[in-house]
Amino acid sequence: VDVVRADSEGGSLELGRLLVGMGHRHMTVLPGPETVPTAVDRVAGFTRALVEEAGLQAPSVLHGAFSIESGHDMTLSAMARVPRPTALFAANNFIAIGVQHALAWLGLDVPDDVAVVGFDDLPQAMVTFPFLTVVAQPAIEMGRRAVAVLLERQANPNGAAQDVVLPTELVVRR
């Protein structure tokens, strides 16, 4: 089938490199469902930064849903582990919001007590200070390209399937 998507693996690799460069050694990934290809790609990219590039231990991975509630629950589980992670990677905005709620409930400060990074970004009008360092997907361009691919499919129904992978952007914040 035709697919238009962001480079989940490459973007997650960048986030992993950033956290390693900041000195983090115990990290947990909260990627959502383990059967979703984007979740799999995000774990793979992040793990590659830690294991293959930095020679560190693989991050802990706690699967759940792409929801605020799941982000909250996964965070409580992550922060109960020994050693406690110094950084969390939330695979989407809903998980990231749940992470922030759980950390506040635990009385932990972001970024002083634990670093949090995410995949996706919010429109400027929805961003509260401070928001997270994220890898942003080119949502508008993804929509444009998806329409173009759909129109091409209508014009040529038997053509080869297209897999369009668009670059992400690392947005470093607090």
Side-chain angles (χ1 to χ4, degrees):
V1 298
D2 295 315
V3 177
V4 176
R5 59 192 172 95
D7 184 4
S8 287
E9 188 167 345
S12 299
L13 175 68
E14 286 188 82
L15 287 172
R17 287 174 177 161
L18 177 70
L19 291 172
V20 167
M22 295 174 71
H24 292 281
R25 299 295 178 260
H26 301 287
M27 295 175 252
T28 299
V29 182
L30 311 173
E34 60 188 315
T35 57
V36 175
T38 54
V40 172
D41 290 348
R42 291 171 190 177
V43 171
F46 195 80
T47 300
R48 191 167 92 212
L50 275 61
V51 176
E52 294 176 25
E53 293 188 359
L56 299 174
Q57 182 178 9
S60 297
V61 179
L62 298 174
H63 290 282
F66 288 127
S67 70
I68 293 171
E69 296 80 14
S70 185
H72 183 275
D73 294 344
M74 289 185 289
T75 301
L76 295 180
S77 295
M79 300 313 286
R81 293 184 170 205
V82 176
R84 177 183 261 189
T86 61
L88 300 172
F89 169 29
N92 81 354
N93 284 333
F94 295 110
I95 294 172
I97 292 167
V99 167
Q100 290 183 305
H101 288 175
L103 292 174
W105 185 79
L106 291 169
L108 298 172
D109 181 68
V110 176
D112 294 330
D113 297 321
V114 60
V116 179
V117 297
F119 204 104
D120 283 341
D121 202 6
L122 294 171
Q124 283 300 96
M126 294 179 66
V127 173
T128 59
F129 184 81
F131 198 66
L132 307 175
T133 290
V134 296
V135 166
Q137 299 185 79
I140 293 171
E141 181 60 22
M142 288 170 68
R144 286 185 183 130
R145 294 292 294 271
V147 169
V149 167
L150 177 62
L151 293 173
E152 287 177 38
R153 175 63 52 217
Q154 286 180 322
N156 186 8
N158 297 321
Q162 296 184 54
D163 183 12
V164 179
V165 181
L166 300 173
T168 57
E169 176 189 0
L170 180 63
V171 180
V172 179
R173 296 193 179 104
R174 187 168 171 236

